[in-house]
Amino acid sequence: FKSSALSIGLCFVMLLMGLAIVVVLLFFRKKLHLTKYIIWLGLFSIMLSLWSGYETQLFTALWGRNQFFTYLTFISLKLIFLPIMIFIRYLYNTSDNRVMDILCGLSVADFTVTTVLQVLGIADYRETLLPSHILYVLGASWVIYLTVKLLVRGTKEERKKIAFHAGCLLFVAFTVVADAFRFYLFASFDSARFARVGLLVYIIVLAYLVVRDSIALIDVGRRASDIQADARKDGLTDVDNRKAFEEELDGIDETLLEQYALIMFDLNNLKNVNDLFGHNMGDLYIITMSRLIQEIYCTYGTVYRIGGDEFCVVAKNIDRALFEDLSA
């Protein structure tokens, strides 16, 4: 048990990562702009940790040879295929791929049929692993084909992402081969010691790719919001412009018009200021007056610059007496 401490620790890390991915997706997906298909990566990590925990003899050490954990291990092994294939399907943007549909359908059929055979006592899970292994080979072959196809025909951004993913797959393949040699040459009871590390790295890298895309979407959204906000601002006074003024008027419910008031301002002698002192002083005159209007009326409404020397306040719940008091 002590010699397996590192492997057991990796199993716990996989389990915690899977649970964290699922929880974050369920509660923070919209806020973090996460794509919903990342949940399949979380489920893959959870199933992998359960199967891997059995390989380390963790369940046996903690609870003895309990038949429940044996069944749980084989169920996890059969269910590992489906979530990772669905995740890769969306990662590669192949949501309409019929081969993927067939492979996922076969995986569901394999699990359903073998579970029925287990319940009826006709065949044990251990005796029905061959179809699962065949599916793994078919799935891996198809992912390799898609990887090569996108590396050749994909866009620059797609090739970059897929090349990164392909490198991770090669690393996982190397660890699997290393475990195979170790198992057959040294008769090790843990047949996935190196593969466990490779698969954990693989999960971390895939999570990184999704988080990186999420951060990019957040940045794009932030910049779009900034651009949209700038489009509604007057460049000189930093109050809302005529476009924003017209949008607010269009958005007012006609049944509530009586609650609103429009207060118009037209600055005096702006042309004379520009002619006598220059346009810089004219701009300063406009800025100063816009600040004065904001100080007086910002509590009651929004100030807009709707023309060169024209301002308007869209105020709510302000009557003539209050207006005259503010203007005094």
Side-chain angles (χ1 to χ4, degrees):
F1 182 75
K2 291 182 179 180
S3 63
S4 303
L6 178 59
S7 296
I8 293 171
L10 292 175
C11 293
F12 276 115
V13 172
M14 286 182 193
L15 179 61
L16 292 176
M17 280 195 63
L19 293 173
I21 290 172
V22 172
V23 170
V24 168
L25 180 71
L26 291 176
F27 294 100
F28 304 102
R29 182 174 72 87
K30 292 184 178 180
K31 185 175 181 180
L32 297 178
H33 294 269
L34 291 173
T35 51
K36 61 183 180 181
Y37 68 83
I38 192 179
I39 194 171
W40 296 106
L41 180 62
L43 294 175
F44 170 71
S45 186
I46 292 172
M47 295 301 166
L48 186 62
S49 68
L50 294 176
W51 168 76
S52 186
Y54 181 81
E55 288 291 312
T56 63
Q57 305 298 314
L58 172 62
F59 298 145
T60 302
L62 293 176
W63 293 286
R65 294 192 175 277
N66 191 311
Q67 193 66 26
F68 169 78
F69 293 108
T70 302
Y71 290 151
L72 180 63
T73 300
F74 284 110
I75 291 172
S76 301
L77 181 61
K78 286 182 173 291
L79 291 178
I80 284 174
F81 180 84
L82 186 63
I84 192 59
M85 289 301 291
I86 295 177
F87 179 83
I88 293 176
R89 170 180 178 170
Y90 286 101
L91 181 70
Y92 280 31
N93 195 25
T94 58
S95 57
D96 60 343
N97 193 290
R98 292 185 179 181
V99 175
M100 285 285 194
D101 291 337
I102 293 172
L103 290 174
C104 291
L106 289 174
S107 176
V108 174
D110 171 51
F111 173 74
T112 303
V113 172
T114 55
T115 299
V116 170
L117 293 177
Q118 172 70 54
V119 172
L120 296 178
I122 299 174
D124 190 80
Y125 275 129
R126 193 184 302 273
E127 300 172 333
T128 58
L129 285 177
L130 181 60
S132 301
H133 291 158
I134 294 174
L135 270 176
Y136 297 154
V137 173
L138 292 175
S141 301
W142 186 246
V143 171
I144 291 172
Y145 166 76
L146 288 178
T147 300
V148 174
K149 179 181 177 181
L150 287 174
L151 286 175
V152 174
R153 301 180 183 178
T155 64
K156 182 179 179 180
E157 187 61 29
E158 284 178 337
R159 289 198 301 268
K160 184 178 179 181
K161 180 170 69 173
I162 299 306
F164 196 31
H165 182 249
C168 295
L169 288 177
L170 287 174
F171 178 66
V172 172
F174 174 78
T175 59
V176 170
V177 172
D179 273 330
F181 276 105
R182 184 170 170 273
F183 178 77
Y184 288 109
L185 294 179
F186 301 102
S188 172
F189 73 90
D190 185 359
S191 61
R193 176 166 295 182
F194 297 124
R196 191 175 294 111
V197 176
L199 288 167
L200 179 59
V201 172
Y202 179 67
I203 293 169
I204 293 173
V205 170
L206 290 180
Y208 162 75
L209 289 175
V210 174
V211 171
R212 186 191 65 178
D213 292 343
S214 172
I215 293 173
L217 286 174
I218 292 174
D219 186 54
V220 169
R222 185 184 297 113
R223 282 184 290 174
S225 297
D226 291 342
I227 292 172
Q228 187 176 17
D230 289 342
R232 294 171 54 87
K233 289 292 183 181
D234 175 61
L236 179 62
T237 62
D238 202 36
V239 299
D240 287 350
N241 58 21
R242 187 180 187 89
K243 179 178 183 295
F245 170 70
E246 292 173 350
E247 288 178 355
E248 177 164 351
L249 290 185
D250 290 340
I252 295 177
D253 188 339
E254 293 184 1
T255 62
L256 303 177
L257 284 177
E258 293 183 356
Q259 300 180 17
Y260 290 86
L262 295 182
I263 307 170
M264 307 294 295
F265 300 87
D266 189 341
L267 305 186
N268 295 327
N269 302 317
L270 176 61
K271 184 177 184 303
N272 292 336
V273 173
N274 286 331
D275 292 342
L276 292 174
F277 304 105
H279 286 278
N280 287 339
M281 290 302 297
D283 289 345
L284 181 60
Y285 175 38
I286 294 172
I287 294 170
T288 302
M289 293 306 298
S290 72
R291 290 177 179 173
L292 180 61
I293 295 170
Q294 287 184 81
E295 288 178 3
I296 297 173
Y297 292 100
C298 67
T299 304
Y300 305 96
T302 305
V303 180
Y304 300 90
R305 185 187 180 194
I306 58 176
D309 61 351
E310 297 176 348
F311 291 84
C312 180
V313 176
V314 179
K316 190 174 183 181
N317 298 323
I318 181 172
D319 54 24
R320 182 176 295 276
L322 177 58
F323 167 72
E324 292 177 352
D325 183 55
L326 293 171
S327 304

